[in-house]
Amino acid sequence: MTVDVLSPPAQAERQARTAVAVLFFTNGALFANLLPRFPQIKADLGIGNAAYGLAVAAFPTGAIVAGLAAGALIRRYGSGRVAVAGTVLTGIGVLAAGLSGSVVLFGTALLLAGAMDAITDVAQNAHGLRVQRRYGRSIINSFHAIWSIGAVTGGSMAAGAIALDLSLGQHLLISAVVFGIAACVALRFCLTGPDTEPDTEPDAEAAKEETNGETNGGAARETGAESRELAPRRDEKLRKTRLRTGYVLAALVLIAASGALVEDAGSSWAALYLSDSLHASGTLAASGYIALVGAQFVGRMIGDRLVDRFGQRAVARSGGLIAAVGMGLALALPTATGTILGFATAGFGVATLVPAAMHEADELPGLRPGSGLTIVSWLMRLGFLLSPPIVGLVADSTSLRVGLLVVPLAGLMVMVLAGVLQPRRR
């Protein structure tokens, strides 16, 4: 991995930081423009909750299928170019989803949008981390907070379009053009050059090891017997370390997936639940997702300070409790206002879960650098994939109110599993 510079940021670095912020903003805004229009699309297509849930699951399916291609694309074309191209294609996919005349076309368009969104997500994070290395200090959390601002802006644009009675085509075409142009302008200020540098020469390293082996050969033979005696003990220690690592990794995946599940409940079902079950107006129904993402933004803005003061474990447990109690009360006492507040508390509660799980996974012993982070990031997307059809099936069997119990249950799961996260540093 390249370590660019650690000196104070120059104008090029500041411009690149702004460019990455624009990419995060547009990524958050594009799909958020579509979410509040889901009830209208569902009604126009005349489909039930189960079919709707399966169609919406095409978005995370596309993300899972295409996610592994992002690395190869970045290595060939550069993270900045890939992020911008992905942004433009995401906008086209979202527009196509809004204009779909059948559930098959709707699902296909969401599959494309999800695939491009996943590639954009990896590329913009890669470029953001490259800019961070230039700064010599952490700035990546600010980009994710800006993503939340973009999501709130996109949701607000959709609510405004509904209030102005703009058609789906008009509204989503404006969104795709505006944010596509913004991304293309941002590309001009992204960092140039390759994202990585060649590794050190393996032949030189091998020669060095061979020389050391010849020099120390006698000493190695002398300690051979002692090494054989200690081998069973080392093997047992290694086995226990691997078991512990596997358990912690599984817990981190579930913590990250819980955060993803809550986000998906807001994006896929908040507007539908408010409009159909609680008979809220289209504009008010859009407020559920906006409240969740807005509260999540607040949680991300203050999350670093809370973690420094109380530790990742305490913050995660408190967040799980807030999400479980807040959304649990909203479902137990259903009103439009109370439900919007419930989604807000859920968004605030899960704000730090995904970064916490990724950070912890990246430091797990017994794994190669980056392996834990990759595993958690990949499997976390299963939360987005499995959540919509499961909630839809439960909603068709009982009610959407019962289906949304996945939110407080996710909060309780985090409270149970948060022990794998780091406590407060003394």
Side-chain angles (χ1 to χ4, degrees):
M1 186 66 69
T2 305
V3 178
D4 295 305
V5 279
L6 297 179
S7 56
Q11 182 179 7
E13 283 75 49
R14 293 195 299 270
Q15 289 177 339
R17 181 177 183 178
T18 301
V20 175
V22 170
L23 293 175
F24 271 82
F25 180 88
T26 57
N27 182 250
L30 274 172
F31 192 56
N33 265 276
L34 179 64
L35 297 176
R37 307 302 295 255
F38 274 173
Q40 179 183 346
I41 294 173
K42 179 176 179 290
D44 290 344
L45 296 177
I47 56 178
N49 287 323
Y52 167 79
L54 288 172
V56 171
F59 187 88
T61 300
I64 290 175
V65 170
L68 292 179
L73 291 171
I74 290 170
R75 287 190 295 273
R76 181 166 185 177
Y77 299 106
S79 56
R81 292 178 180 177
V82 173
V84 172
T87 299
V88 173
L89 292 174
T90 299
I92 294 174
V94 168
L95 175 61
L99 296 177
S100 298
S102 69
V103 66
V104 174
L105 292 177
F106 178 56
T108 302
L110 287 181
L111 187 75
L112 168 65
M116 294 302 104
D117 178 78
I119 291 173
T120 302
D121 184 48
V122 175
Q124 69 188 10
N125 274 284
H127 208 78
L129 289 170
R130 186 180 173 196
V131 175
Q132 177 173 277
R133 291 193 293 274
R134 294 258 185 151
Y135 268 68
R137 57 185 173 88
S138 177
I139 59 173
I140 195 68
N141 287 325
S142 67
F143 294 138
H144 286 269
I146 290 170
W147 183 94
S148 296
I149 296 176
V152 172
T153 302
S156 300
M157 285 177 61
I162 294 172
L164 294 173
D165 200 26
L166 290 180
S167 68
L168 275 165
Q170 292 172 327
H171 162 213
L172 296 177
L173 178 61
I174 292 171
S175 171
V177 170
V178 168
F179 296 122
I181 291 175
C184 291
V185 172
L187 180 60
R188 295 185 55 195
F189 302 98
C190 288
L191 298 175
T192 58
D195 288 86
T196 58
E197 291 180 351
D199 296 331
T200 57
E201 289 294 332
D203 292 341
E205 294 293 329
K208 182 178 178 182
E209 290 179 5
E210 183 178 349
T211 301
N212 291 338
E214 291 175 355
T215 302
N216 301 322
R221 283 190 293 272
E222 291 176 2
T223 59
E226 180 181 352
S227 177
R228 285 192 296 271
E229 292 177 1
L230 295 176
R233 196 177 305 170
R234 286 197 304 267
D235 291 343
E236 178 64 18
K237 184 177 181 180
L238 180 60
R239 187 184 68 84
K240 290 182 178 179
T241 300
R242 287 176 176 172
L243 287 175
R244 169 66 180 170
T245 298
Y247 163 74
V248 173
L249 189 60
L252 293 175
V253 168
L254 290 175
I255 289 173
S258 295
L261 188 151
V262 172
E263 290 183 36
D264 179 76
S267 63
S268 299
W269 300 102
L272 197 63
Y273 176 64
L274 284 162
S275 61
D276 287 2
S277 300
L278 302 180
H279 310 293
S281 65
T283 303
L284 184 61
S287 300
Y289 175 68
I290 295 171
L292 184 145
V293 178
Q296 188 179 58
F297 164 75
V298 174
R300 286 172 174 168
M301 290 296 292
I302 66 175
D304 289 333
R305 282 173 287 176
L306 291 175
V307 169
D308 289 340
R309 183 169 183 179
F310 301 107
Q312 198 71 261
R313 183 183 301 172
V315 172
R317 278 182 175 155
S318 300
L321 178 62
I322 290 171
V325 173
M327 197 63 192
L329 288 174
L331 293 173
L333 305 170
T335 64
T337 302
T339 298
I340 293 171
L341 290 175
F343 278 112
T345 58
F348 182 82
V350 304
T352 65
L353 293 186
V354 173
M358 290 183 172
H359 176 266
E360 198 75 25
D362 207 33
E363 297 185 349
L364 279 175
L367 295 177
R368 291 179 298 176
S371 295
L373 177 61
T374 301
I375 293 171
V376 169
S377 300
W378 177 256
L379 293 179
M380 179 188 70
R381 294 186 181 275
L382 289 178
F384 287 110
L385 176 62
L386 299 177
S387 176
I390 290 175
V391 173
L393 289 171
V394 173
D396 278 348
S397 300
T398 54
S399 68
L400 185 52
R401 180 182 172 191
V402 175
L404 287 174
L405 284 174
V406 295
V407 176
L409 290 176
L412 294 176
M413 181 182 295
V414 171
M415 293 175 63
V416 173
L417 297 175
V420 300
L421 299 174
Q422 290 296 319
R424 178 184 177 184
R425 295 179 180 178
R426 301 186 182 277

